[in-house]
Amino acid sequence: MARSNTPYFLLLFVVLAFCLSTNGVYAFGAGNIPSFAYMEGRAFRHGDIEDVLADLIKKGSGGGGFALASFLSKGSKFNGLDIKRVYFGNWLRDYSQAVDISTLKKLQLQTIINLCMVLGFMAHGYATHEFEVTEERLGVYLPTEHIDNPKGYGDGEDARTYHPKLRAPVDPVELEIDPRTGMKNYIANEDGHWDTSRALVRRTLEQCIHIGRQHRAGGQKQDEYEAYRLLGQAVRLFSNVVSPFSPPTC
């Protein structure tokens, strides 16, 4: 497994690749732009982010991932299945939006999960083991994952009555501007009692690094696959920073 700075390197690479592009970004939906499509290289979807991994060295011959020696020596690369494992974490954050107040009013949670299982098999070609859509992996819709403005969320209802992981009623202070950053408090101000998008990205990366180290120490494949999923989740969260912009600016 790569060193603990691997997720940060990947995220930096993704940000630079998109922010420094001279062609601009004209789309940012789910899935991939097909390799035979005219828009490949001109439009991008969330799945295209993980495709960058195919050109990166995963681990150098000395065991250190993404260190200078990794680029100077022959090392292993992310294969197609590795990339699918990473993208699975990204994909789940799209479909977690299916678990929200409006759907839970009409459907049982397990029904929603079963539908996502079918969609997952159609998207990835696998539906078991590391590609299984479970309640824990799917999660629920959280505005912080998408940097969505939570104003009016729930229309006066406490969403937690439908699922305990849905967010609490909005505190008006979350919608105020933080003068230190120029952003609203729900995005990056961690001085309050609310969760923020910045804190969520950090927690996800910390968990990814922790489980990656567990794999390096114990050699358990399930830890490696879980670290890949969390890396994909972190990439998805971070990509939401630039996805509203066309072309993106940094």
Side-chain angles (χ1 to χ4, degrees):
M1 189 68 184
R3 294 182 188 274
S4 60
N5 64 342
T6 298
Y8 295 99
F9 184 93
L10 284 175
L11 288 174
L12 178 61
F13 188 96
V14 169
V15 172
L16 291 176
F18 281 93
C19 292
L20 300 182
S21 171
T22 58
N23 295 325
V25 176
Y26 301 102
F28 222 117
N32 301 66
I33 298 294
S35 59
F36 56 82
Y38 168 76
M39 292 302 291
E40 186 185 28
R42 296 178 174 85
F44 299 91
R45 296 176 180 168
H46 284 291
D48 294 307
I49 298 175
E50 279 76 13
D51 287 345
V52 173
L53 296 176
D55 298 321
L56 297 180
I57 294 176
K58 178 170 59 174
K59 183 171 65 175
S61 58
F66 297 108
L68 180 60
S70 299
F71 292 98
L72 299 178
S73 61
K74 185 177 180 180
S76 61
K77 289 190 174 184
F78 289 88
N79 60 40
L81 197 53
D82 290 335
I83 294 171
K84 280 181 177 287
R85 290 174 177 129
V86 175
Y87 178 59
F88 181 60
N90 186 323
W91 179 90
L92 283 168
R93 296 342 310 142
D94 257 332
Y95 286 88
S96 65
Q97 297 176 82
V99 185
D100 200 5
I101 298 173
S102 58
T103 51
L104 291 171
K105 283 181 177 180
K106 300 175 182 178
L107 297 171
Q108 294 293 319
L109 175 59
Q110 189 58 51
T111 300
I112 299 172
I113 294 173
N114 291 344
L115 290 170
C116 289
M117 285 180 180
V118 174
L119 293 171
F121 178 75
M122 294 172 63
H124 312 293
Y126 302 91
T128 58
H129 301 296
E130 68 265 32
F131 291 99
E132 183 179 358
V133 178
T134 65
E135 180 178 352
E136 181 181 1
R137 289 173 177 173
L138 183 61
V140 301
Y141 167 67
L142 294 173
T144 49
E145 289 189 344
H146 308 275
I147 320 183
D148 289 344
N149 190 328
K151 182 178 180 180
Y153 179 72
D155 292 327
E157 290 187 277
D158 188 340
R160 294 171 296 180
T161 60
Y162 298 96
H163 194 292
K165 291 185 178 180
L166 289 170
R167 68 150 293 145
V170 179
D171 186 331
V173 72
E174 295 181 60
L175 309 178
E176 296 177 0
I177 300 294
D178 181 356
R180 297 170 299 179
T181 63
M183 296 184 288
K184 292 190 175 182
N185 287 330
Y186 67 83
I187 298 176
N189 186 347
E190 298 180 48
D191 293 337
H193 59 81
W194 54 86
D195 197 11
T196 67
S197 297
R198 183 173 72 174
L200 181 58
V201 170
R202 185 180 63 253
R203 290 197 306 269
T204 303
L205 286 172
E206 288 172 347
Q207 189 179 6
C208 175
I209 292 167
H210 173 70
I211 295 178
R213 286 173 173 169
Q214 281 186 185
H215 164 68
R216 186 171 60 185
Q220 296 295 318
K221 279 295 184 182
Q222 58 265 36
D223 288 336
E224 180 181 20
Y225 301 155
E226 180 66 3
Y228 283 157
R229 183 186 70 81
L230 289 167
L231 177 59
Q233 177 173 310
V235 168
R236 171 55 191 262
L237 299 176
F238 201 83
S239 71
N240 284 324
V241 175
V242 299
S243 61
F245 303 97
S246 178
T249 56
C250 292

